[in-house]
Amino acid sequence: MDVIRVVLVDDHEVVRRGVAALLDSEDDIQVVGEAGTAESAVTRITALQPDVAVLDVRLPDGSGIDVCREVRSRMPGLACLMLTSFADDDALFDAVMAGASGYVLKQIHGSDLVGAVRTVASGQSLLDPRTTASMLARLREQESRKDPLAALSPQERQILDLIGEGLTNRQIGERMFLAEKTVKNYVSNLLGKLDMQRRTQAAALVTRLKAERGERGDLRPW
């Protein structure tokens, strides 16, 4: 049986001893090192090359999330299991983005922690479907903030740009060789996607975006 080599990182010695004793009692798990600070954690993990790093999120000189990001940049095959006392959505999101394989609370039962170590060591993720859905939604939200027009098609972007120039539906149709009714449908759709009721709001958005991004003549992704 392959033994799972683990490094524990927590600033509380009592916690480290308790977790170490729990894991070492298993035939297939061995704690090969410990650390109490972010700086020493990076050094120890890099030197010992474990299979799993169990990282406390909050450390005296930094964050276990930063440690995760740093060591995984050096050791892509390392599985990081975040261990924390607090359920924090922001920390969970940051941990996942840093490459953590799992995120568990310190209130977890001992047998469940052992199972968590085995799960991430096998290459699996310890994130339930609800958490995964939340992560995807947040990523989409971030992407939307980067580009408020992300939901618009190229055609709708062009029409929005012309609305910003003050053109009527008929003028837009003439410019784009579309029927006025077709333009009206496009305008209704793009206003709905932007959660707006009036084209004056859309025109104001165009003005703001161009001021922020610099005049370029259209609203293609930047």
Side-chain angles (χ1 to χ4, degrees), residues 94-111:
D94 291 341
V96 172
M97 296 305 293
S101 300
Y103 189 100
V104 296
L105 297 178
K106 288 183 178 179
Q107 294 90 327
I108 190 173
H109 291 296
S111 59

Side-chain angles (χ1 to χ4, degrees), residues 1-6 23-24 26-32 49-52 117-118 121:
M1 181 186 300
D2 292 334
V3 174
I4 301 169
R5 302 173 74 254
V6 178
L23 297 180
D24 277 333
E26 302 294 322
D27 293 336
D28 60 334
I29 302 176
Q30 178 186 9
V31 176
V32 296
Q49 298 282 304
D51 303 301
V52 176
V117 169
R118 290 182 177 131

Side-chain angles (χ1 to χ4, degrees), residues 82-135:
M82 310 309 299
L83 189 61
T84 180
S85 301
F86 308 97
D88 184 333
D89 287 345
D90 289 335
L92 170 58
F93 178 79
D94 291 341
V96 172
M97 296 305 293
S101 300
Y103 189 100
V104 296
L105 297 178
K106 288 183 178 179
Q107 294 90 327
I108 190 173
H109 291 296
S111 59
D112 292 333
L113 178 58
V114 171
V117 169
R118 290 182 177 131
T119 296
V120 298
S122 69
Q124 300 179 66
S125 172
L126 200 68
L127 296 173
D128 58 42
R130 180 178 177 182
T131 300
T132 301
S134 175
M135 293 299 101

Side-chain angles (χ1 to χ4, degrees), residues 19-196:
V19 175
L22 172 70
L23 297 180
D24 277 333
S25 67
E26 302 294 322
D27 293 336
D28 60 334
I29 302 176
Q30 178 186 9
V31 176
V32 296
E34 301 178 17
T37 64
E39 183 179 2
S40 61
V42 173
T43 301
R44 295 285 283 166
I45 293 170
T46 303
L48 294 169
Q49 298 282 304
D51 303 301
V52 176
V54 178
L55 305 168
D56 188 5
V57 170
R58 299 185 179 184
L59 297 169
D61 60 338
S63 164
I65 295 170
D66 293 331
V67 173
C68 174
R69 185 179 296 106
E70 176 66 23
V71 294
R72 277 188 49 81
S73 69
R74 305 182 189 187
M75 304 164 53
L78 174 70
C80 291
L81 178 63
M82 310 309 299
L83 189 61
T84 180
S85 301
F86 308 97
D88 184 333
D89 287 345
D90 289 335
L92 170 58
F93 178 79
D94 291 341
V96 172
M97 296 305 293
S101 300
Y103 189 100
V104 296
L105 297 178
K106 288 183 178 179
Q107 294 90 327
I108 190 173
H109 291 296
S111 59
D112 292 333
L113 178 58
V114 171
V117 169
R118 290 182 177 131
T119 296
V120 298
S122 69
Q124 300 179 66
S125 172
L126 200 68
L127 296 173
D128 58 42
R130 180 178 177 182
T131 300
T132 301
S134 175
M135 293 299 101
L136 292 174
R138 187 158 179 174
L139 285 170
R140 286 193 293 269
E141 180 184 346
Q142 282 195 345
E143 187 60 32
S144 177
R145 284 200 298 267
K146 291 178 185 176
D147 180 11
L149 311 182
L152 301 187
S153 68
Q155 189 92 317
E156 289 168 338
R157 283 174 181 263
Q158 186 176 355
I159 290 174
L160 177 62
D161 194 51
L162 295 176
I163 289 174
E165 292 181 18
L167 273 63
T168 65
N169 287 349
R170 175 174 293 181
Q171 291 170 326
I172 293 173
E174 293 172 352
R175 181 80 63 89
M176 297 181 64
F177 305 103
L178 296 172
E180 184 177 353
K181 183 176 181 180
T182 301
V183 174
K184 183 178 180 180
N185 290 335
Y186 271 118
V187 172
S188 295
N189 288 336
L190 72 85
L191 288 178
K193 290 181 179 180
L194 296 174
D195 195 25
M196 294 178 175

